[in-house]
Amino acid sequence: MDYSISEIARIINAGSPAFPDHRITSLLTDSRSLLDPSGTLFFALRTPSGDGHNYIASLYAHGGVRDFVVDTIPADASSMPQANFLKVPSVIDALQKLAASHRAKSGARVIAITGSRGKTTVKEWLYRLISPDLRVVRSPRSYNSQTGVPLSLCAIDSGTEMAIIEAGISLPGEMDRLESVISPEIGIFTNIGAAHSHGFSDIAQKCREKASLMRRCRYAVYCADNRLISDSLPQGPDRVGWTRLDTPGAALRIVRVSKADGSSTIDYHWVPGALSGQFTIPFTSERDIENAVTSLAVMLLLGTDPATIADRMPLLRPVRTRLDVADGVNDCQMIHDTFSSGIASLSLSLDFMSRRVTPDHTLTVILGDIDTEGLPAADVYARAAAMLRLRHIDRIIGIGPEINSRSSSLPAGSVTYPSVEEFLGSVTPDDFRSELILIKGSQDEPLGNVACLLEKRRNGTVLEINLDAVVDNFNFFRSRVRPDTGMVCMIKASGYGAGSHELAKTLQSQGASYLAVAVHDEGVDLRQAGITMPIIVLNPAVDDLNAIFDSHLEPEIYSVDFLRSLIAEARRRGIKDYPVHIKIDSGMHRLGFRLDTLPEVIEVLSSQDYVVPSSIFSHLCAADDPSEDEYTLRQFDYFERCCVMLRSAFPGRRILSHILNSTGITRFPGQQRDMVRLGIGLYGIRTMHDGSQDELRPISSLSTSVISVKHWEAGTTIGYNRRGILSRDSVIATVPVGYADGINRHLGYGNASFCVRGVLCPTVGSICMDSCMIDVTGIPGVQPGDRVEIFGDSVPVEAIADTLGTIPYEVLTSISQRVKRVYYRE
């Protein structure tokens, strides 16, 4: 985009800017994503997790930004004499109004996609299918929110012929806003499911809300076999339904689906054009077939002939939306992104990288050939080079024939190679030390072998942690408390086994109020990883005081002796007003002060000013047991009496209070007070099974791979002490995971089952230190390399815990540190 600030002011009704000639070429809603200061317009959005107005002064002074959309003129505006402040009643409304105007001015046709799943896949596949004929712009990754949609639309330029935009909602009324901004010609409704439904009265309301995207469309593309979607579509658009069940009135009939050798051949009949055709896709899953048929319907609607469709469909590839983070060699950390290789995707990857910078790492980008997306290649590579310079990347490596031929376009000092093979033949892992490395390739030319070279752990057993699920779970609980209630996130025990660094960075970005760890070492580790937000240490000791003060960790106070020692050390250091957190024992009887001992605490605190109470808190011991609700209510009452006593002793000081855990947030919303503490719920484990927490998403899955498959006769014994006796001729697979990895020995002898190719396979014999055996009899084609899920989507961690007679906490925290952790964004 390219507007004068005065043009934008007229569009959003913001009055006349002081400096009307400023040119705006990019929009910014997150101060951390700044790339082009001179041409940036910052929208100071207010969200539950933060207020953009708080970052205006820094963007002006340090970022060089001069143009801002605000709902309140900053109090220190006089210190920013060259700034334009466009004041509007609502910043998000202004952003959407600008996007709607920009979209209306363009001559591009617009396709909008909604649904519960498959939006990103259909978007990417349509891009691949359509872009040989048209200049196409599409939403980067899954920019489908109230903010992401307008930012996506503003990427349309004068050469754009088609825009493909995702639209997602979480509350009623949101789609009406997005529809008015997008104004699509073609609307696609992929499917409907229960995920993210907590803002709606039922799935039918959610379906109607999503379908409102089509209210002014010319065409609505959907599965006619889904009655709920069909009944929810508004009157007006021409219905382009597809069917596999011969549903009457469908425009597209799927005549036959034949699966063989990892591919599916689909025969179809297009009723409006009386056309029949056939194509093959390199997938066999029902979800991929559904997405391919949806894409087919759009292609036929656009007039693409069956022969062209048959040529392009086999070229589709899995849409790997994941962005992985893993430990690398020699104290490196590695980010691996193969979502796409366009310039917008590179910008997002660099933004993600910038939020993981630590003082101990230099920055390295390994970049494959860039998808020019119809733009002049010289311009695209020049923009990429500018991005890399603005992000202050220390080391740039290009891999691929195109980027190698354009090495002169990259920043000085960049090194390029024409192929992955040449790169691997020229470097070793020892060439990389203490670096944060972004590996950015495409799905067509992946840099997977580069990632393998730089991985710290290469064994096939992986604990995968879904950072988007972390965000979803955080927001699930965030939506259940008041906007002014803070969120304390528990990441003790190395993030319940998931690893604390990436979780902490994600939660810091989401606007959590505090992190809480068990011991000071965990807090020090987070500080060294670059975490700057407040951290509470729940079990501090006198020996920890130096580290606590040095790393500015905030200790829990549970004894007068510890409080006195803390004060003495603060006095010695000359520290004043150091924040501490007063623990109350309201009924757990583990740690904390009782009501009768609180006066002594108050006396000690009142006699000095070296440390000050920042919060008072307690812990519920039976919140998940309705039969103990009377006891829980007594805990609330006891805690309130303690709060009154402490606060009355410090009338001029704001002392926060918090007592609710994950279960308490769900069951006792009236007790949320100033903050709540989010523990196991953050990790997607339900503590209630009454439907109130069904939308939580487990963040962790543990998998390994088959390393051996053997056929044995009935009566053969398997494993130590010959205790695994086969009752039939069997096929036994060995997998390289055992009790040294955290797989409890009690899961052997058929007590647990792991998932292979969608089938649960019982263990056979005992769990060994480094391996175990499973029965894969009857599953065709199992071979070394096949993935084995220990727990995850098919084997809930709760099932493992039930087998062991324990709780999910123990299972999660038992996973050995030798197991590779991979963090990913969807």
Side-chain angles (χ1 to χ4, degrees), residues 657-704:
S657 64
H658 45 108
I659 190 171
L660 293 185
N661 54 12
S662 298
T663 308
I665 297 170
T666 304
R667 297 198 61 226
F668 303 100
Q671 293 288 335
Q672 60 188 256
R673 308 182 75 93
D674 300 300
M675 296 195 295
V676 295
R677 295 191 307 278
L678 184 53
I680 195 65
L682 179 66
Y683 301 88
I685 305 301
R686 293 178 294 164
T687 57
M688 300 300 299
H689 299 278
D690 57 0
S692 61
Q693 296 180 342
D694 284 357
E695 290 188 47
L696 293 179
R697 302 173 62 195
I699 73 165
S700 300
S701 61
L702 179 65
S703 64
T704 187

Short mmCIF file of all heavy atoms in Angstrom, two decimals, residues 657-704:
data_model
loop_
_atom_site.label_atom_id
_atom_site.label_comp_id
_atom_site.label_asym_id
_atom_site.label_seq_id
_atom_site.Cartn_x
_atom_site.Cartn_y
_atom_site.Cartn_z
N SER A 657 -4.28 -9.84 45.51
CA SER A 657 -4.62 -11.11 46.16
C SER A 657 -5.01 -12.13 45.10
O SER A 657 -5.59 -11.78 44.07
CB SER A 657 -5.77 -10.93 47.16
OG SER A 657 -6.96 -10.53 46.50
N HIS A 658 -4.68 -13.39 45.36
CA HIS A 658 -5.03 -14.45 44.41
C HIS A 658 -5.09 -15.79 45.14
O HIS A 658 -4.24 -16.09 46.00
CB HIS A 658 -4.06 -14.52 43.24
CG HIS A 658 -2.60 -14.44 43.58
ND1 HIS A 658 -1.74 -15.51 43.49
CD2 HIS A 658 -1.84 -13.40 44.01
CE1 HIS A 658 -0.52 -15.14 43.83
NE2 HIS A 658 -0.55 -13.85 44.15
N ILE A 659 -6.08 -16.58 44.76
CA ILE A 659 -6.26 -17.90 45.39
C ILE A 659 -6.71 -18.96 44.39
O ILE A 659 -6.51 -20.15 44.63
CB ILE A 659 -7.28 -17.82 46.56
CG1 ILE A 659 -7.28 -19.12 47.37
CG2 ILE A 659 -8.68 -17.47 46.06
CD1 ILE A 659 -8.08 -19.05 48.65
N LEU A 660 -7.28 -18.57 43.25
CA LEU A 660 -7.84 -19.55 42.32
C LEU A 660 -6.77 -20.23 41.48
O LEU A 660 -5.86 -19.57 40.96
CB LEU A 660 -8.86 -18.89 41.39
CG LEU A 660 -10.14 -18.38 42.02
CD1 LEU A 660 -11.09 -17.87 40.93
CD2 LEU A 660 -10.82 -19.45 42.85
N ASN A 661 -6.91 -21.56 41.33
CA ASN A 661 -6.10 -22.33 40.40
C ASN A 661 -6.93 -22.60 39.14
O ASN A 661 -8.00 -22.01 38.95
CB ASN A 661 -5.62 -23.63 41.05
CG ASN A 661 -6.79 -24.44 41.62
OD1 ASN A 661 -7.96 -24.16 41.35
ND2 ASN A 661 -6.48 -25.44 42.42
N SER A 662 -6.44 -23.48 38.27
CA SER A 662 -7.15 -23.73 37.01
C SER A 662 -8.59 -24.16 37.26
O SER A 662 -9.52 -23.68 36.61
CB SER A 662 -6.42 -24.81 36.19
OG SER A 662 -5.13 -24.40 35.84
N THR A 663 -8.78 -25.09 38.18
CA THR A 663 -10.13 -25.55 38.49
C THR A 663 -10.96 -24.44 39.11
O THR A 663 -12.14 -24.26 38.79
CB THR A 663 -10.08 -26.75 39.46
OG1 THR A 663 -9.19 -27.73 38.94
CG2 THR A 663 -11.46 -27.35 39.64
N GLY A 664 -10.34 -23.68 39.99
CA GLY A 664 -11.06 -22.60 40.65
C GLY A 664 -11.56 -21.56 39.67
O GLY A 664 -12.65 -20.99 39.84
N ILE A 665 -10.78 -21.27 38.63
CA ILE A 665 -11.22 -20.31 37.62
C ILE A 665 -12.52 -20.78 37.00
O ILE A 665 -13.44 -19.99 36.74
CB ILE A 665 -10.14 -20.13 36.53
CG1 ILE A 665 -8.85 -19.56 37.14
CG2 ILE A 665 -10.64 -19.22 35.41
CD1 ILE A 665 -7.67 -19.59 36.18
N THR A 666 -12.63 -22.07 36.76
CA THR A 666 -13.82 -22.64 36.13
C THR A 666 -14.99 -22.71 37.10
O THR A 666 -16.12 -22.34 36.75
CB THR A 666 -13.52 -24.06 35.60
OG1 THR A 666 -12.41 -24.00 34.70
CG2 THR A 666 -14.72 -24.65 34.89
N ARG A 667 -14.75 -23.11 38.35
CA ARG A 667 -15.84 -23.42 39.26
C ARG A 667 -16.22 -22.27 40.19
O ARG A 667 -17.36 -22.22 40.68
CB ARG A 667 -15.48 -24.64 40.11
CG ARG A 667 -15.27 -25.92 39.31
CD ARG A 667 -15.35 -27.14 40.21
NE ARG A 667 -16.64 -27.23 40.83
CZ ARG A 667 -16.85 -27.47 42.12
NH1 ARG A 667 -15.81 -27.63 42.94
NH2 ARG A 667 -18.07 -27.55 42.61
N PHE A 668 -15.30 -21.36 40.45
CA PHE A 668 -15.58 -20.31 41.43
C PHE A 668 -15.22 -18.93 40.85
O PHE A 668 -14.34 -18.23 41.37
CB PHE A 668 -14.80 -20.56 42.72
CG PHE A 668 -15.08 -21.88 43.36
CD1 PHE A 668 -14.20 -22.95 43.19
CD2 PHE A 668 -16.23 -22.08 44.10
CE1 PHE A 668 -14.45 -24.18 43.77
CE2 PHE A 668 -16.51 -23.31 44.69
CZ PHE A 668 -15.62 -24.37 44.52
N PRO A 669 -15.87 -18.52 39.75
CA PRO A 669 -15.50 -17.26 39.10
C PRO A 669 -15.66 -16.04 40.00
O PRO A 669 -14.98 -15.03 39.79
CB PRO A 669 -16.44 -17.20 37.90
CG PRO A 669 -17.59 -18.09 38.25
CD PRO A 669 -17.01 -19.18 39.08
N GLY A 670 -16.51 -16.12 40.99
CA GLY A 670 -16.70 -14.99 41.89
C GLY A 670 -15.53 -14.73 42.82
O GLY A 670 -15.48 -13.69 43.49
N GLN A 671 -14.55 -15.64 42.83
CA GLN A 671 -13.39 -15.50 43.71
C GLN A 671 -12.11 -15.16 42.94
O GLN A 671 -11.02 -15.34 43.46
CB GLN A 671 -13.18 -16.81 44.49
CG GLN A 671 -14.29 -17.14 45.48
CD GLN A 671 -14.26 -16.20 46.68
OE1 GLN A 671 -13.23 -15.65 47.03
NE2 GLN A 671 -15.41 -16.04 47.34
N GLN A 672 -12.25 -14.63 41.74
CA GLN A 672 -11.04 -14.42 40.93
C GLN A 672 -10.15 -13.30 41.45
O GLN A 672 -8.97 -13.26 41.14
CB GLN A 672 -11.41 -14.16 39.47
CG GLN A 672 -12.30 -12.97 39.23
CD GLN A 672 -12.77 -12.91 37.78
OE1 GLN A 672 -12.28 -12.12 37.00
NE2 GLN A 672 -13.71 -13.76 37.44
N ARG A 673 -10.67 -12.36 42.21
CA ARG A 673 -9.90 -11.33 42.88
C ARG A 673 -8.99 -10.58 41.90
O ARG A 673 -9.37 -10.34 40.76
CB ARG A 673 -9.13 -11.93 44.06
CG ARG A 673 -10.04 -12.76 45.01
CD ARG A 673 -9.30 -13.31 46.19
NE ARG A 673 -9.01 -12.26 47.16
CZ ARG A 673 -9.78 -11.97 48.20
NH1 ARG A 673 -10.89 -12.66 48.44
NH2 ARG A 673 -9.44 -11.00 49.03
N ASP A 674 -7.77 -10.20 42.31
CA ASP A 674 -6.89 -9.40 41.45
C ASP A 674 -6.17 -10.24 40.41
O ASP A 674 -5.85 -9.76 39.33
CB ASP A 674 -5.85 -8.66 42.30
CG ASP A 674 -6.48 -7.72 43.30
OD1 ASP A 674 -7.20 -6.80 42.87
OD2 ASP A 674 -6.27 -7.91 44.51
N MET A 675 -5.86 -11.49 40.78
CA MET A 675 -5.17 -12.38 39.85
C MET A 675 -5.67 -13.80 40.06
O MET A 675 -6.28 -14.12 41.08
CB MET A 675 -3.64 -12.33 40.07
CG MET A 675 -3.00 -10.99 39.77
SD MET A 675 -1.18 -11.05 39.59
CE MET A 675 -0.67 -11.53 41.23
N VAL A 676 -5.41 -14.63 39.05
CA VAL A 676 -5.65 -16.07 39.16
C VAL A 676 -4.36 -16.77 38.74
O VAL A 676 -3.52 -16.20 38.04
CB VAL A 676 -6.82 -16.52 38.27
CG1 VAL A 676 -8.13 -15.92 38.74
CG2 VAL A 676 -6.58 -16.16 36.80
N ARG A 677 -4.21 -18.03 39.17
CA ARG A 677 -3.00 -18.79 38.82
C ARG A 677 -3.39 -19.95 37.92
O ARG A 677 -4.20 -20.81 38.29
CB ARG A 677 -2.31 -19.30 40.09
CG ARG A 677 -1.77 -18.19 40.97
CD ARG A 677 -0.86 -18.74 42.06
NE ARG A 677 -1.48 -19.79 42.84
CZ ARG A 677 -2.32 -19.58 43.85
NH1 ARG A 677 -2.65 -18.33 44.19
NH2 ARG A 677 -2.83 -20.57 44.53
N LEU A 678 -2.79 -19.96 36.76
CA LEU A 678 -3.10 -20.95 35.75
C LEU A 678 -2.01 -22.01 35.72
O LEU A 678 -0.87 -21.71 35.37
CB LEU A 678 -3.23 -20.26 34.40
CG LEU A 678 -3.65 -21.10 33.20
CD1 LEU A 678 -4.92 -21.87 33.48
CD2 LEU A 678 -3.84 -20.18 31.99
N GLY A 679 -2.35 -23.23 36.13
CA GLY A 679 -1.37 -24.31 36.19
C GLY A 679 -1.64 -25.37 35.14
O GLY A 679 -1.46 -25.15 33.95
N ILE A 680 -2.14 -26.52 35.58
CA ILE A 680 -2.28 -27.66 34.67
C ILE A 680 -3.23 -27.36 33.51
O ILE A 680 -3.08 -27.91 32.42
CB ILE A 680 -2.76 -28.92 35.46
CG1 ILE A 680 -2.57 -30.20 34.63
CG2 ILE A 680 -4.19 -28.75 35.93
CD1 ILE A 680 -1.13 -30.53 34.34
N GLY A 681 -4.19 -26.46 33.71
CA GLY A 681 -5.08 -26.10 32.62
C GLY A 681 -4.35 -25.45 31.46
O GLY A 681 -4.76 -25.59 30.30
N LEU A 682 -3.28 -24.73 31.74
CA LEU A 682 -2.48 -24.13 30.68
C LEU A 682 -1.92 -25.18 29.74
O LEU A 682 -1.74 -24.94 28.55
CB LEU A 682 -1.33 -23.32 31.31
CG LEU A 682 -0.37 -22.62 30.36
CD1 LEU A 682 -1.09 -21.52 29.58
CD2 LEU A 682 0.81 -22.04 31.12
N TYR A 683 -1.68 -26.36 30.27
CA TYR A 683 -1.08 -27.45 29.50
C TYR A 683 -2.13 -28.34 28.84
O TYR A 683 -1.81 -29.37 28.25
CB TYR A 683 -0.15 -28.26 30.42
CG TYR A 683 0.93 -27.37 30.99
CD1 TYR A 683 0.72 -26.66 32.17
CD2 TYR A 683 2.13 -27.18 30.31
CE1 TYR A 683 1.69 -25.79 32.66
CE2 TYR A 683 3.10 -26.32 30.80
CZ TYR A 683 2.87 -25.63 31.97
OH TYR A 683 3.82 -24.76 32.45
N GLY A 684 -3.40 -27.91 28.94
CA GLY A 684 -4.47 -28.60 28.23
C GLY A 684 -5.03 -29.81 28.93
O GLY A 684 -5.76 -30.61 28.32
N ILE A 685 -4.72 -29.97 30.22
CA ILE A 685 -5.23 -31.12 30.97
C ILE A 685 -6.48 -30.69 31.74
O ILE A 685 -6.43 -29.75 32.54
CB ILE A 685 -4.17 -31.66 31.95
CG1 ILE A 685 -2.88 -31.99 31.18
CG2 ILE A 685 -4.71 -32.87 32.69
CD1 ILE A 685 -3.04 -33.00 30.09
N ARG A 686 -7.57 -31.37 31.49
CA ARG A 686 -8.83 -31.03 32.16
C ARG A 686 -8.82 -31.53 33.59
O ARG A 686 -8.44 -32.66 33.86
CB ARG A 686 -10.01 -31.64 31.42
CG ARG A 686 -10.26 -31.06 30.03
CD ARG A 686 -11.42 -31.75 29.35
NE ARG A 686 -11.10 -33.15 29.07
CZ ARG A 686 -11.99 -34.08 28.76
NH1 ARG A 686 -13.27 -33.77 28.70
NH2 ARG A 686 -11.62 -35.32 28.53
N THR A 687 -9.25 -30.66 34.49
CA THR A 687 -9.45 -31.07 35.88
C THR A 687 -10.92 -31.30 36.17
O THR A 687 -11.26 -31.84 37.22
CB THR A 687 -8.91 -30.00 36.84
OG1 THR A 687 -9.55 -28.75 36.56
CG2 THR A 687 -7.41 -29.84 36.66
N MET A 688 -11.79 -30.87 35.26
CA MET A 688 -13.23 -31.09 35.37
C MET A 688 -13.70 -31.82 34.13
O MET A 688 -13.23 -31.55 33.02
CB MET A 688 -13.98 -29.76 35.52
CG MET A 688 -13.59 -28.94 36.73
SD MET A 688 -13.89 -29.81 38.29
CE MET A 688 -15.67 -30.06 38.20
N HIS A 689 -14.62 -32.76 34.31
CA HIS A 689 -15.10 -33.57 33.19
C HIS A 689 -16.61 -33.42 33.02
O HIS A 689 -17.31 -34.36 32.64
CB HIS A 689 -14.71 -35.03 33.41
CG HIS A 689 -13.23 -35.24 33.48
ND1 HIS A 689 -12.43 -35.35 32.36
CD2 HIS A 689 -12.38 -35.29 34.54
CE1 HIS A 689 -11.16 -35.49 32.72
NE2 HIS A 689 -11.11 -35.46 34.04
N ASP A 690 -17.08 -32.20 33.27
CA ASP A 690 -18.50 -31.89 33.12
C ASP A 690 -18.77 -31.07 31.87
O ASP A 690 -19.86 -30.52 31.71
CB ASP A 690 -19.00 -31.13 34.35
CG ASP A 690 -18.21 -29.84 34.60
OD1 ASP A 690 -17.30 -29.54 33.82
OD2 ASP A 690 -18.53 -29.13 35.58
N GLY A 691 -17.81 -30.99 30.98
CA GLY A 691 -17.95 -30.22 29.75
C GLY A 691 -17.42 -28.81 29.84
O GLY A 691 -17.22 -28.15 28.81
N SER A 692 -17.14 -28.32 31.05
CA SER A 692 -16.74 -26.93 31.21
C SER A 692 -15.33 -26.65 30.72
O SER A 692 -14.97 -25.50 30.50
CB SER A 692 -16.86 -26.52 32.69
OG SER A 692 -16.02 -27.31 33.51
N GLN A 693 -14.51 -27.70 30.55
CA GLN A 693 -13.14 -27.50 30.09
C GLN A 693 -12.83 -28.30 28.82
O GLN A 693 -11.68 -28.54 28.49
CB GLN A 693 -12.15 -27.89 31.19
CG GLN A 693 -12.24 -27.03 32.44
CD GLN A 693 -11.24 -27.45 33.51
OE1 GLN A 693 -10.71 -28.56 33.49
NE2 GLN A 693 -10.99 -26.57 34.46
N ASP A 694 -13.89 -28.69 28.11
CA ASP A 694 -13.68 -29.56 26.95
C ASP A 694 -12.89 -28.90 25.82
O ASP A 694 -12.34 -29.60 24.97
CB ASP A 694 -15.03 -30.04 26.41
CG ASP A 694 -15.65 -31.13 27.27
OD1 ASP A 694 -15.00 -31.53 28.25
OD2 ASP A 694 -16.78 -31.56 26.97
N GLU A 695 -12.83 -27.58 25.80
CA GLU A 695 -12.11 -26.91 24.72
C GLU A 695 -10.62 -26.78 24.96
O GLU A 695 -9.89 -26.27 24.10
CB GLU A 695 -12.72 -25.53 24.47
CG GLU A 695 -14.10 -25.60 23.86
CD GLU A 695 -14.60 -24.24 23.44
OE1 GLU A 695 -13.84 -23.51 22.79
OE2 GLU A 695 -15.74 -23.90 23.78
N LEU A 696 -10.14 -27.22 26.12
CA LEU A 696 -8.70 -27.20 26.35
C LEU A 696 -8.00 -28.15 25.39
O LEU A 696 -8.51 -29.22 25.08
CB LEU A 696 -8.40 -27.59 27.80
CG LEU A 696 -8.88 -26.61 28.87
CD1 LEU A 696 -8.52 -27.13 30.26
CD2 LEU A 696 -8.28 -25.22 28.67
N ARG A 697 -6.82 -27.74 24.94
CA ARG A 697 -6.05 -28.53 23.99
C ARG A 697 -4.75 -28.99 24.64
O ARG A 697 -3.93 -28.16 25.03
CB ARG A 697 -5.73 -27.70 22.75
CG ARG A 697 -6.93 -27.15 22.02
CD ARG A 697 -6.49 -26.20 20.92
NE ARG A 697 -5.67 -26.88 19.92
CZ ARG A 697 -4.92 -26.23 19.02
NH1 ARG A 697 -4.87 -24.91 19.03
NH2 ARG A 697 -4.21 -26.91 18.14
N PRO A 698 -4.54 -30.30 24.79
CA PRO A 698 -3.24 -30.76 25.31
C PRO A 698 -2.11 -30.20 24.45
O PRO A 698 -2.17 -30.23 23.22
CB PRO A 698 -3.33 -32.28 25.20
CG PRO A 698 -4.80 -32.58 25.24
CD PRO A 698 -5.45 -31.43 24.52
N ILE A 699 -1.09 -29.68 25.12
CA ILE A 699 -0.01 -29.03 24.36
C ILE A 699 1.09 -30.00 23.98
O ILE A 699 1.89 -29.69 23.09
CB ILE A 699 0.58 -27.84 25.15
CG1 ILE A 699 1.44 -28.32 26.32
CG2 ILE A 699 -0.52 -26.91 25.64
CD1 ILE A 699 2.33 -27.25 26.91
N SER A 700 1.18 -31.14 24.64
CA SER A 700 2.33 -32.04 24.47
C SER A 700 1.91 -33.37 23.85
O SER A 700 0.85 -33.92 24.19
CB SER A 700 3.01 -32.32 25.82
OG SER A 700 3.48 -31.13 26.40
N SER A 701 2.74 -33.88 22.97
CA SER A 701 2.57 -35.24 22.45
C SER A 701 3.95 -35.88 22.38
O SER A 701 4.93 -35.24 21.99
CB SER A 701 1.91 -35.23 21.08
OG SER A 701 2.69 -34.53 20.14
N LEU A 702 4.00 -37.13 22.77
CA LEU A 702 5.27 -37.88 22.79
C LEU A 702 5.20 -38.97 21.73
O LEU A 702 4.25 -39.77 21.71
CB LEU A 702 5.50 -38.50 24.16
CG LEU A 702 6.78 -39.33 24.32
CD1 LEU A 702 8.02 -38.46 24.17
CD2 LEU A 702 6.80 -40.03 25.69
N SER A 703 6.18 -38.99 20.85
CA SER A 703 6.18 -40.00 19.80
C SER A 703 7.59 -40.51 19.57
O SER A 703 8.59 -39.88 19.93
CB SER A 703 5.62 -39.43 18.49
OG SER A 703 6.45 -38.40 18.01
N THR A 704 7.66 -41.67 18.95
CA THR A 704 8.94 -42.25 18.56
C THR A 704 8.71 -42.96 17.24
O THR A 704 7.70 -42.69 16.55
CB THR A 704 9.45 -43.21 19.65
OG1 THR A 704 10.77 -43.65 19.31
CG2 THR A 704 8.54 -44.40 19.85
#
